[in-house]
Amino acid sequence: MAADSTALPPASAAGVPRHVAIVMDGNGRWARRRFMPRIFGHKYGMETVVRVIDECTRRGVEFLTIYAFSSENWKRPDEEVSGLMNLVLVGVSKYLARLAGNGVRIRVAGDRSAVSDRVRQAWNEAEECTRDNTGLTVTVAFNYGGRWDIVQACKRAIADGVTADQLTEGVLSRHMALAYAPDPDLFIRTGGEVRVSNFLLWQIAYAELYFTDCLWPDFDAAELDKAFAAYASRERRFGAVPAAAPASSQPASA
Ligand code: FPP
């Protein structure tokens, strides 16, 4: 299905976050409620990913980053881990052409050394095939952890010859896995849990956080609109005082 360009809002639509990061939680519970194995929920979760990519494109989001497999997800039962790895192969063969045709650029963040050759090749193919696209950049965080990212950025900075004196927040940011993207404006977690779970720890320093009980396979355009409405209602201060009030009357606050 090609995106209907006549229905697109302007890329700079007020209140639309440039970069949305999502922890897609609740697939297992969604499946259990249907007396199905957990992987059934992940399969439906994949359909939701494609739907949310379309909806983010329509709303003018520039970057979408999704947590598909964390560094800690290896602790899950073997059957679930292999099911998730297989889903990468299925997803790439089923959806890559369509996403590429819609201008989506796919990037993968995470430690690829630990995944199988087939999965690594599928990710390489997705990145290669979409590298010249200029639409929504979708980063799939796969075998990703925020702490891993900080450590790998430090290692790469050292390998680049950066000295302790030269190391700044900007220099480290340029070595992080998402160096090509602005920091997320909006962090969404579905599934009712209220935690960050080692996702983009460095990058979400000033993201607006949004938590919903909605299970990921049920997350749709209306749920995305609710998240965007919450985001649009927030006053982002980045550590400063509110714009309308005189600085001298405000207590110190982040
Ligand atoms: C967390 O829900 C979800 C995951 C660990 C996997 C997310 C993967 C997908 C949505 C499939 C898309 C995959 C790719 C490769 C793009 P959970 O299983 O922890 O849910 P629960 O808390 O209800 O058990």
Side-chain angles (χ1 to χ4, degrees), residues 24-29 38 42 45-46 49 66-68 73 76 80 84 87-88 123 140 142 216:
M24 310 181 287
D25 199 12
N27 295 345
R29 277 164 286 163
R38 296 175 58 80
H42 296 315
M46 171 79 85
V49 167
I66 54 172
Y67 208 8
N73 284 157
R76 293 189 173 214
E80 184 173 351
L84 282 164
L87 211 47
V88 174
W123 285 137
V140 183
F142 200 85
W216 177 249

Side-chain angles (χ1 to χ4, degrees), residues 7-47:
L8 294 180
S12 56
V16 173
R18 275 187 84 190
H19 185 171
V20 179
I22 308 184
V23 177
M24 310 181 287
D25 199 12
N27 295 345
R29 277 164 286 163
W30 187 90
R32 202 162 57 233
R33 285 177 195 176
R34 287 158 181 80
F35 307 101
M36 296 297 281
R38 296 175 58 80
I39 194 65
F40 183 72
H42 296 315
K43 281 183 191 153
Y44 267 81
M46 171 79 85
E47 306 291 326

